[in-house]
Amino acid sequence: MGIPALDKDMAVHTNGVHQDVELEAGNVEIDRIEKVYRKLDRRIIPAFWTLYFLCSAIRSNVGLAQTMNEKQGHDLASELNLKPKQISTGLALFYVCYVLFDLPSNLIMTKLSPHVWMSRIVIGVGIIGSCMAAMKAAWSFYLLRLLLGIIIAGMWPGMAYYLTLFYPPSRTGKRIGQYFTAAQVSASVVGLVSAGFQKMDGLGGLVGFQWMFLLYGLVGIIVGISLLWWLPDRPLPPGEARNRDGWRKWIPRSRPALTGEDARIHYEDLTRVYHRRAWTTKDLLNVIIDWRVWPLVIMYFGVVGVGIGVQNYGTVIIKGANPKLTGVQLSLLFAPIWVMDLIAILLVTPMSDRFHRHRALFFSVPVCIQITGLLVTTYAGSHSNPWPRYGGLLMVGFGLGPTVPITMTWTNEIFQPRHGEVGVAAASALVSGLGNLGSILTTYALYSGWASDRKPGPSQYRKSNLVMVGILCSSILSAIVMTLLLRFVGNGPNAKQISSGSSTTEGEGVIVDGAARREVHERGLGRLW
């Protein structure tokens, strides 16, 4: 996508007044700017990592509960008298609500204090997670999964939107990848820790998975409350006081993310986020009908569907390859899949930021690795040597890692210039929400929907695996189509950063800040170390 050179002087629209200002990248040394963003990293990324770790653990523990203490008859299905199809229905109910409420949740977040909304989500997830320890029948399983989907909706796209309040879109890939590793560490550590929870089976009248749900939920509540102090609120222009009227006076004050000279530098480098107006229904509709949303949705549909499929049924697939494995052994073998995922995130997402014009390439190569891994899992190995199939799952884990962060980052990059703040909030929610229809497919229709999936043997789960290969192929095709369309159709005023909160209209003022000037060019390998 070619971007025309930026003029030296650009019009800045502030409070309805156009002013000509000169924003030379050399006004502030790049090392000083990088120091400001590293300071933001220390404040935001650990908080996001912690909340995402806990929410991922609470959301995905159902997958582990299916095999915990199975020999004692204390697994999820035995305790609640659930059939495989009922478990799949409960898992899918979560994603149905997630899809429906992702967009409304993210839009509310733009109107309220973002850090308060994130705190609300984590506290709610902790409460629901704790209640899952009291499940006794299918109806309670269905109800709590449904409520969990409603409560947690907007968390993932909300985090991506939140980052754009503090970082240029081209710098968000590495940061999304950094806290996304929490999901991988969660899947890995929770798998290991579940072995300990299985040893607690029967303690205090609770089975192993009930202890798991209860303790993770309680920790989630504590962390959610702490976020009111931990996360900073949206940045304000220098000299502007934060509104503390109404309900806000009851909310604890959060320390500003930056002060003094650091705040001034951030303001000059990312001026676009400081000057916004309330978005309208027309602005929202312009985002929804933008064709650029739909290739991103299909990209996300494939990779998140496979990711959730492996997360929920990874232990089931491993046991299908080697039925002799115990519940503890399955938990231990499940963890390395997510270690591979984490390694790929840390390797690929920083490079995708440095070569941000090649997002499709950094997305498609890992997807090809996933496809290869699924084919190995499906066709390799034998009854006497099932380990090659496990090796295929490790390949799938490695390929999964960078794809979700890159999709969300690409969404930020495309929609902030075109539609401002509401563009990022709405588009990231649409991509995340509608893309999670892939999660419904892999949790409800696969690994229990085919008759062959219930028959032990070399063909078990073959059709489900091949369906996941098919949706991954559609993700690669969508990335290619998006690249070609952006190149030949364009991305509107791609050389300009639109004043947040509105769509591009002729004659409307624009803000070109220091970050916008730098985003014209890729960083490449410069200043890598």
Side-chain angles (χ1 to χ4, degrees):
M1 294 177 293
I3 299 181
L6 293 175
D7 293 334
K8 185 176 180 180
D9 298 298
M10 301 299 295
V12 177
H13 181 67
T14 307
N15 297 326
V17 180
H18 287 77
Q19 300 173 341
D20 288 332
V21 301
E22 181 174 318
L23 291 174
E24 287 288 342
N27 283 352
V28 180
E29 291 185 1
I30 187 66
D31 289 338
R32 185 70 178 87
I33 295 171
E34 293 289 350
K35 185 178 180 180
V36 169
Y37 287 121
R38 285 196 296 271
K39 182 175 287 190
L40 288 171
D41 288 343
R42 292 191 291 271
R43 178 75 182 277
I44 296 171
I45 303 303
F48 270 18
W49 196 96
T50 304
L51 75 87
Y52 198 56
F53 176 92
L54 288 166
C55 289
S56 296
I58 294 168
R59 183 184 68 182
S60 62
N61 275 342
V62 170
L64 289 169
Q66 294 179 64
T67 55
M68 290 176 65
N69 300 112
E70 192 172 14
K71 286 188 176 180
Q72 294 81 11
H74 292 166
D75 58 289
L76 181 69
S78 300
E79 284 291 312
L80 275 61
N81 296 315
L82 298 174
K83 297 178 181 179
K85 199 69 175 180
Q86 290 177 302
I87 294 177
S88 296
T89 300
L91 293 173
L93 277 174
F94 168 88
Y95 293 106
V96 169
C97 294
Y98 193 94
V99 169
L100 292 176
F101 290 92
D102 235 6
L103 179 59
S105 177
N106 235 31
L107 294 178
I108 293 172
M109 189 175 180
T110 67
K111 298 292 187 180
L112 302 179
S113 172
H115 83 297
V116 172
W117 195 247
M118 293 304 301
S119 174
R120 188 278 307 170
I121 290 174
V122 179
I123 293 171
V125 169
I127 292 172
I128 299 299
S130 297
C131 291
M132 291 183 77
M135 296 185 297
K136 295 297 181 183
W139 71 266
S140 57
F141 176 57
Y142 292 159
L143 175 62
L144 289 174
R145 288 294 293 181
L146 184 148
L147 291 175
L148 185 61
I150 294 173
I151 294 295
I152 205 172
M155 180 191 70
W156 174 248
M159 293 165 81
Y161 157 72
Y162 183 98
L163 283 189
T164 62
L165 301 178
F166 296 93
Y167 301 95
S170 65
R171 298 294 186 98
T172 58
K174 181 179 76 172
R175 274 89 185 180
I176 293 174
Q178 285 173 341
Y179 65 71
F180 188 56
T181 60
Q184 284 63 49
V185 175
S186 172
S188 179
V189 171
V190 167
L192 295 172
V193 173
S194 70
F197 283 121
Q198 290 181 72
K199 299 296 183 182
M200 297 173 64
D201 188 55
L203 183 65
L206 299 178
V207 301
F209 76 80
Q210 290 174 324
W211 277 111
M212 180 174 65
F213 284 129
L214 179 61
L215 294 180
Y216 276 112
L218 291 176
V219 174
I221 294 170
I222 295 170
V223 169
I225 295 172
S226 73
L227 291 177
L228 292 172
W229 290 271
W230 194 352
L231 281 176
D233 207 339
R234 69 168 69 246
L236 294 177
E240 183 175 321
R242 196 171 303 280
N243 181 12
R244 297 286 297 175
D245 295 336
W247 61 269
R248 294 178 178 84
K249 65 184 178 182
W250 304 106
I251 303 299
R253 289 181 181 271
S254 176
R255 287 187 302 108
L258 299 168
T259 57
E261 182 69 7
D262 290 337
R264 185 193 65 80
I265 291 172
H266 187 263
Y267 175 80
E268 292 179 357
D269 197 59
L270 205 62
T271 312
R272 73 193 84 161
V273 304
Y274 287 87
H275 301 285
R276 66 190 188 100
R277 66 172 178 82
W279 53 267
T280 65
T281 303
K282 181 180 178 181
D283 296 324
L284 177 60
L285 290 175
N286 286 337
V287 178
I288 294 174
I289 64 175
D290 194 324
W291 62 264
R292 294 161 185 80
V293 170
W294 307 109
L296 293 165
V297 168
I298 298 172
M299 289 167 57
Y300 199 84
F301 177 93
V303 296
V304 81
V306 173
I308 296 301
V310 173
Q311 189 176 70
N312 288 334
Y313 293 103
T315 55
V316 176
I317 296 171
I318 296 170
K319 187 171 185 179
N322 190 350
K324 298 178 181 179
L325 295 171
T326 66
V328 173
Q329 289 173 325
L330 287 171
S331 296
L332 296 176
L333 287 170
F334 188 61
I337 298 173
W338 305 108
V339 173
M340 296 296 291
D341 196 304
L342 183 151
I343 291 171
I345 291 172
L346 296 179
L347 289 175
V348 178
T349 55
M351 298 303 295
S352 74
D353 274 1
R354 290 182 169 275
F355 298 91
H356 63 271
R357 296 183 185 280
H358 298 85
R359 297 286 185 192
L361 179 64
F362 285 100
F363 174 87
S364 299
V365 171
V367 174
C368 289
I369 295 174
Q370 291 180 61
I371 292 172
T372 304
L374 283 169
L375 292 176
V376 170
T377 299
T378 304
Y379 294 106
S382 62
H383 180 71
S384 59
N385 182 23
W387 294 109
R389 296 179 66 181
Y390 177 69
L393 279 179
L394 295 179
M395 293 177 65
V396 173
F398 187 87
L400 276 171
T403 53
V404 170
I406 288 174
T407 305
M408 298 304 292
T409 303
W410 208 6
T411 303
N412 291 345
E413 285 184 308
I414 291 172
F415 281 87
Q416 192 191 62
R418 288 185 60 79
H419 302 283
E421 186 174 302
V422 70
V424 174
S428 60
L430 288 169
V431 170
S432 171
L434 295 178
N436 263 290
L437 292 171
S439 303
I440 298 174
L441 171 67
T442 53
T443 55
Y444 190 72
L446 304 184
Y447 299 102
S448 61
W450 304 100
S452 60
D453 286 347
R454 294 187 289 272
K455 296 179 181 178
S459 297
Q460 190 176 23
Y461 306 126
R462 177 171 294 179
K463 291 183 179 179
S464 292
N465 290 343
L466 293 178
V467 169
M468 293 209 292
V469 168
I471 63 176
L472 287 174
C473 289
S474 69
S475 292
I476 293 177
L477 180 61
S478 295
I480 294 171
V481 169
M482 173 66 98
T483 302
L484 293 175
L485 288 176
L486 288 176
R487 182 174 297 276
F488 294 109
V489 178
N491 192 37
N494 204 30
K496 300 177 181 179
Q497 296 297 330
I498 304 305
S499 181
S500 294
S502 69
S503 301
T504 309
T505 55
E506 185 175 355
E508 181 179 309
V510 297
I511 292 177
V512 178
D513 46 35
R517 291 184 180 277
R518 291 196 307 279
E519 286 178 328
V520 172
H521 306 288
E522 291 181 331
R523 286 182 291 159
L525 298 178
R527 297 176 179 269
L528 185 58
W529 294 281

